[in-house]
Amino acid sequence: MTAFKNGPGASADQKTRFFLVIMRLNLKFLLISLCVTVALITFALWANCGVGRGLVPKWPIQHNGEGGGNPFDQTEEIDCIINQEYAVGCRKEGEEVYLPFSFLQKYFDVYGSLNVVDGSRRFDWTHSYGKVNYPKGAYDPRGIFMYFENYNVEMRDRVKCISALEGVPISTQWESQGYCYATQIAQFGLSHYSKNLTEPEPRRKVVEDADRELAPWIVPKNSTMNRTIDQRIPRGTNMVLSFSTGKSFDTAVVLPMDHVLDLVLSVDVLLKPNSTLCVTLQNRETQRLYHVYYILADLLIGVQDENIYYGIGLNSTGVWKRLTRDLFVDLQKGLPQYVNTDKRRKMRRTELKVVEVSLLGNGSIDNLTLSTSEHIAHFYDAAEWLIRHQDPSSGGWPIPVRRKLGSGFAELARGWYSAMAQGHAISLLARAYYHSRGDQRYLRAALDGLKLFRIPSYQGGVLATFLGKYAWYEEYPTTPHSFVLNGFIYSLLGLYDLNSTAPANQSNEAAMLFEQGMMSLKKMLLLYDTGSGTSYDLRHFTLGIAPNLARWDYHATHVNQLLLLATIDPDPLIVQTAERWKNYMVGKRAQHN
Amino acid sequence: MTAFKNGPGASADQKTRFFLVIMRLNLKFLLISLCVTVALITFALWANCGVGRGLVPKWPIQHNGEGGGNPFDQTEEIDCIINQEYAVGCRKEGEEVYLPFSFLQKYFDVYGSLNVVDGSRRFDWTHSYGKVNYPKGAYDPRGIFMYFENYNVEMRDRVKCISALEGVPISTQWESQGYCYATQIAQFGLSHYSKNLTEPEPRRKVVEDADRELAPWIVPKNSTMNRTIDQRIPRGTNMVLSFSTGKSFDTAVVLPMDHVLDLVLSVDVLLKPNSTLCVTLQNRETQRLYHVYYILADLLIGVQDENIYYGIGLNSTGVWKRLTRDLFVDLQKGLPQYVNTDKRRKMRRTELKVVEVSLLGNGSIDNLTLSTSEHIAHFYDAAEWLIRHQDPSSGGWPIPVRRKLGSGFAELARGWYSAMAQGHAISLLARAYYHSRGDQRYLRAALDGLKLFRIPSYQGGVLATFLGKYAWYEEYPTTPHSFVLNGFIYSLLGLYDLNSTAPANQSNEAAMLFEQGMMSLKKMLLLYDTGSGTSYDLRHFTLGIAPNLARWDYHATHVNQLLLLATIDPDPLIVQTAERWKNYMVGKRAQHN
């Protein structure tokens, strides 16, 4: 930069020569050049300063030439030297010094935003982003699970899609190709169970049951469709709708529709080889059409432009299968934008409508229904998954991906068990046992799910002990122990749920495990208290490293869990700790001495 | 700075106006001015850039209200709503919001001050006020104790005075009438031992030894003074100075002096009943005179206007007694302002001079000396106190005041023992054993001081165990355990010191206790780590309450102790933890997940 020739580094000799040269030139031109130089240097160095520090970009200085009348005439610029390490541009008025939020935000990890409320601008300072959920009453093991009615598991980014084979979410949390994660599946089921209790009764429209509701299907020439008897159909009357078409889509049997909001499709299907059920959706704003296919394949999800394919399993060939599909979710998960960029394109549920259902190949359908929701169906999909996938000898739901919790911990090998998964599964199965009015399969699975709580983590179970004294159920049965708090409390809820739901003569084991765990919780709870937040686990103790501080949403989970436990255990320790931890979320710390 | 008027924010209109005005002026002059302006801006901004790295201060922007161009015209007032709870008046400039330090200070407990450095105003933000002391080398049990050469125990507000009876500080920390606190006495001794190693050799002036140094005493009529033989005098030749006067002060034998800086008086005295040694001090600025009397009484300290009385004990009647008195301290502790308002009147050591020593009644003195310091004498005063006051059966130094550590803990009854007091005493006695070239009394006392480390706190000892697993030496042997960290580490240093100093065949017990304690420390150390500071103790764990966060000076003590331990134990856990904890002092927290 030539401007630097006039900088502090220029020698006296240089300056003289420079001056003599310019004297020979047009003075007017020079004056302008110098003015520009002044401006340029000022700007260049100013910009440079901001970059060099990597902190607050400085405000551009405004001049409007109109003197006087400014209430902030006393505002001065002042440097704040932070811990003798670096400088931050601040403001001073009288004895008060003002520090820029952009600095504070990074330094203290706080949040803030400029908002307009009632016509006035204000700045909202937020210590944390966690949300406290006060329980509405005493916790009921047959009722809402925590505050899971607010959960929307299937819409999480780390859910690849809902398997059409089993009706449960597929996780990509720790392996991108997707896998079944019992914890997530149970959360999916528990959230639908809870929503079923909190949301209004869904609107349901039976579109076609081959008996009372007959829809105006369009049957192309050379294709056939008729309503016949099939004794194998497991629900409703045994009248079903059978179809037979060619191979190309112009031969498909088609039902045009104009259905908004009721985007949950339920249907019994029996497909012969190479047959397909297809639902066409339209974005009412863009008019764009999307096709969701349910096909006889072991494919999880496949996408080609606006065509999204879900496999219902080769095994389903020629047998009746019940599908309950949230079409909004099925579309969303398949939107090309989502698949290609790993980022969901935001589309609102209300933008969509169902414009067509079509059938291709040979097969039958029955009880074709569109609803606003089918929470209980999803809940039982999850319950059935748990029944099918429980390891018969351990009673556990193995997690099929490797997991390294952090540096210093040995990696958990594929097939590890989690006390949180066990607890969630038991919470769900206890509710399924209750909701199904005593289906013994659910009770049996829940009781079997307790076995791992007695087996030390080094022997493949989920039991850790704190200094050989306090039993702890490990979300991650690591070596050394990790003592993750939130997973432990979730496992306690599972034990509580089963103890409260199982017949008296079968609840002993759950009761004992729960009591033992609550004792440990009360003894160890304060080890997570940092005086301004909580730690997520006790790795600092077991590994001798920095504490793994809980980010605010985990901290809020700790608070919410304690608030819930306080409704079933009167020990003041629990509610007092919950209240203190809640205060940490608004910056109120423990006292120092 | 007016130069900013040409800055990048100047409007086109302004520039034109500016240009027209200057056209009317002498162009040559302007050229020079502009060149200077370029150079000035360049330099100013360049200097400013350096702040981020080298702490070159920024120049403050001045507003003199002359003709517009206020760069802060854009500063607006805006309310910050803090956690939806209350509002704080802030400033806004563009997208940046500035928050007042007066709010931040309270909210985050940080520190700040406006200062002028190299002529520029700046605001110094300080995360903590703790001070890290990096060890200068490996810890030497025969050398400086920690960084206690910086301690000035006697000048602490909670030290009532230095007893003239025993030469040790009297604490008012937990009982205002004053008591002997072994921990403080040991700190007093250890600080003097350490100062003796770090400070230059003191200047000593023998004023009168009745043999080689004979002072010009003024002996009033009817009073007598002569130099005689006394076989009982324990040091020097057996020549002593004897005096006999009336009862009123005008009969006193007086030695006028003009002595500055050397304010530590050493003297052997033998006083008969109703006799007194008096030292007169003068404040050289105010010319005010003060009289410090050492009298035969069991009085600790008495004050009447400018007369301050220290009792050397009725028991000292007619026997030789050695006094080593810091006259500055003796005066300071007795200043009426101090006694009446509990606030020390600040007086500087350099303001004082000794103007007179006088003797009243009957008795003898010898070896009257004034020195800049007598650290080793103070050190041995403390060592001898420990010998005299050790409980012969427990080997402990009982603490004669009740102590309630906090709500939830049972009160410690008078006579409780502290692992910190034991450890400090052992550190001091081990040094006394070394310094005295093997005085067995000191070794014996130090070894006896170990006994309490094996006795559980509930049986009157100082031993706690963490969940029955890790041995911990309690600074406060509370019920339930408190596990105070800094006191524990001090006790470990005592064990280490004795193990290193005692003859091989007598060091076993200290070695075993040290090893056991270090093991516990390494296992439990991280329980004190809050991710942004440390807790002082584990009361949150044992009482189930909020953690008792360590204030910054205690936190700094933790850091300093670990840095010291790291020089004798290579386990990376120690040095890594010390470094992380040090970073907490400049706001660098542990990561959250």
Side-chain angles (χ1 to χ4, degrees), chain B residues 240-254:
Chain B
V240 303
L241 182 131
S242 296
F243 61 92
S244 176
T245 79
K247 287 188 176 178
S248 75
F249 267 94
D250 53 7
T251 67
V253 172
V254 172

Side-chain angles (χ1 to χ4, degrees), chain A residues 27 49 56 58 64 77 79 81 83 87 91 93 96-97 99 101-102 107 123 125 127 549 551 593, chain B residues 31 49 51 58 61 73 79 81 83 91 93 96-97 99 101-102 107 123 125 127 549 551 593:
Chain A
L27 283 176
C49 278
V56 194
K58 283 237 171 92
N64 52 22
E77 195 186 13
D79 261 353
I81 312 298
N83 300 314
R91 299 290 175 266
E93 287 177 19
E96 184 66 274
V97 172
L99 287 102
F101 184 73
S102 56
Y107 189 93
F123 184 75
W125 165 291
H127 197 82
L549 300 177
R551 60 173 193 255
N593 60 1
Chain B
L31 262 178
C49 275
V51 167
K58 256 193 191 162
I61 292 175
D73 276 352
D79 264 353
I81 312 298
N83 300 314
R91 299 291 176 266
E93 287 177 17
E96 185 64 275
V97 172
L99 289 101
F101 184 73
S102 56
Y107 189 93
F123 185 74
W125 165 291
H127 197 82
L549 301 178
R551 62 174 191 254
N593 60 3

Side-chain angles (χ1 to χ4, degrees), chain B residues 155-226:
Chain B
M155 290 306 286
R156 291 179 184 161
D157 281 342
R158 60 179 181 269
V159 170
K160 188 183 182 84
C161 62
I162 304 298
S163 154
L165 206 69
E166 312 207 71
V168 296
I170 302 298
S171 179
T172 54
Q173 190 164 7
W174 300 316
E175 269 187 25
S176 57
Q177 80 274 23
Y179 59 99
C180 285
Y181 181 30
T183 299
Q184 191 180 68
I185 289 167
Q187 289 191 345
F188 169 79
L190 287 165
S191 76
H192 282 292
Y193 183 87
S194 303
K195 282 176 199 286
N196 181 59
L197 294 170
T198 54
E199 290 185 2
E201 187 69 15
R203 187 174 52 221
R204 278 197 187 88
K205 166 77 181 154
V206 179
V207 176
E208 169 70 60
D209 63 4
D211 184 12
R212 302 216 290 209
E213 298 290 343
L214 310 176
W217 297 87
I218 296 166
V219 185
K221 204 177 149 190
N222 296 332
S223 295
T224 63
M225 198 206 81
N226 37 39

Side-chain angles (χ1 to χ4, degrees), chain A residues 543-545, chain B residues 521-523 525-526 570-578:
Chain A
L543 290 175
I545 58 171
Chain B
L521 180 71
K522 291 177 194 176
K523 293 287 184 191
L525 186 60
L526 274 296
D571 191 330
L573 174 87
I574 294 174
V575 69
Q576 283 166 9
T577 304

Side-chain angles (χ1 to χ4, degrees), chain B residues 205-217 225-231 233 235-243 255 266-269 320 322 359 363-369:
Chain B
K205 166 77 181 154
V206 179
V207 176
E208 169 70 60
D209 63 4
D211 184 12
R212 302 216 290 209
E213 298 290 343
L214 310 176
W217 297 87
M225 198 206 81
N226 37 39
R227 297 183 174 91
T228 58
I229 289 174
D230 186 334
Q231 303 288 0
I233 175 82
R235 82 201 74 213
T237 64
N238 49 23
M239 288 300 290
V240 303
L241 182 131
S242 296
F243 61 92
L255 175 61
S266 310
V267 63
D268 292 293
V269 292
W320 280 104
R322 177 77 170 175
L359 302 164
S364 309
I365 67 159
D366 196 5
N367 303 311
L368 174 64
T369 308

Side-chain angles (χ1 to χ4, degrees), chain B residues 135-384:
Chain B
K136 290 168 198 85
Y139 175 65
D140 176 5
R142 293 166 195 82
I144 299 163
F145 185 77
M146 291 207 58
Y147 42 87
F148 275 31
E149 74 273 19
N150 303 324
Y151 276 26
N152 201 347
V153 173
E154 44 272 61
M155 290 306 286
R156 291 179 184 161
D157 281 342
R158 60 179 181 269
V159 170
K160 188 183 182 84
C161 62
I162 304 298
S163 154
L165 206 69
E166 312 207 71
V168 296
I170 302 298
S171 179
T172 54
Q173 190 164 7
W174 300 316
E175 269 187 25
S176 57
Q177 80 274 23
Y179 59 99
C180 285
Y181 181 30
T183 299
Q184 191 180 68
I185 289 167
Q187 289 191 345
F188 169 79
L190 287 165
S191 76
H192 282 292
Y193 183 87
S194 303
K195 282 176 199 286
N196 181 59
L197 294 170
T198 54
E199 290 185 2
E201 187 69 15
R203 187 174 52 221
R204 278 197 187 88
K205 166 77 181 154
V206 179
V207 176
E208 169 70 60
D209 63 4
D211 184 12
R212 302 216 290 209
E213 298 290 343
L214 310 176
W217 297 87
I218 296 166
V219 185
K221 204 177 149 190
N222 296 332
S223 295
T224 63
M225 198 206 81
N226 37 39
R227 297 183 174 91
T228 58
I229 289 174
D230 186 334
Q231 303 288 0
R232 295 168 300 172
I233 175 82
R235 82 201 74 213
T237 64
N238 49 23
M239 288 300 290
V240 303
L241 182 131
S242 296
F243 61 92
S244 176
T245 79
K247 287 188 176 178
S248 75
F249 267 94
D250 53 7
T251 67
V253 172
V254 172
L255 175 61
M257 304 176 81
D258 187 13
H259 224 95
V260 294
L261 292 177
D262 304 336
L263 294 179
V264 180
L265 172 87
S266 310
V267 63
D268 292 293
V269 292
L270 181 154
L271 296 180
K272 305 253 168 77
N274 298 318
S275 302
T276 296
L277 165 69
C278 172
V279 182
T280 303
L281 297 157
Q282 184 173 34
N283 184 315
R284 297 193 290 157
E285 286 180 19
T286 64
Q287 302 298 317
R288 201 161 170 182
L289 293 172
Y290 301 95
H291 308 284
V292 182
Y293 300 89
Y294 301 97
I295 60 175
L296 283 171
D298 289 335
L299 172 76
L300 194 55
I301 182 170
V303 180
Q304 196 174 36
D305 302 326
E306 281 74 36
N307 301 299
I308 302 157
Y309 302 87
Y310 286 93
I312 64 171
L314 266 178
N315 276 350
S316 302
T317 310
V319 296
W320 280 104
K321 183 174 175 75
R322 177 77 170 175
L323 290 180
T324 308
R325 307 300 302 174
D326 186 326
L327 298 169
F328 173 68
V329 174
D330 280 353
L331 170 60
Q332 197 73 211
K333 295 294 177 182
L335 283 183
Q337 288 87 339
Y338 173 67
V339 172
N340 294 340
T341 69
D342 217 18
K343 260 185 114 175
R344 186 171 73 239
R345 206 202 99 186
K346 290 285 172 208
M347 193 188 282
R348 275 169 295 126
R349 202 174 183 89
T350 50
E351 282 173 354
L352 279 189
K353 68 172 177 180
V354 183
V355 292
E356 203 174 278
V357 173
S358 50
L359 302 164
L360 192 68
N362 295 285
S364 309
I365 67 159
D366 196 5
N367 303 311
L368 174 64
T369 308
L370 284 168
S371 329
T372 43
S373 66
E374 290 291 352
H375 295 309
I376 287 298
H378 296 312
F379 167 70
Y380 278 110
D381 276 350
E384 290 299 324

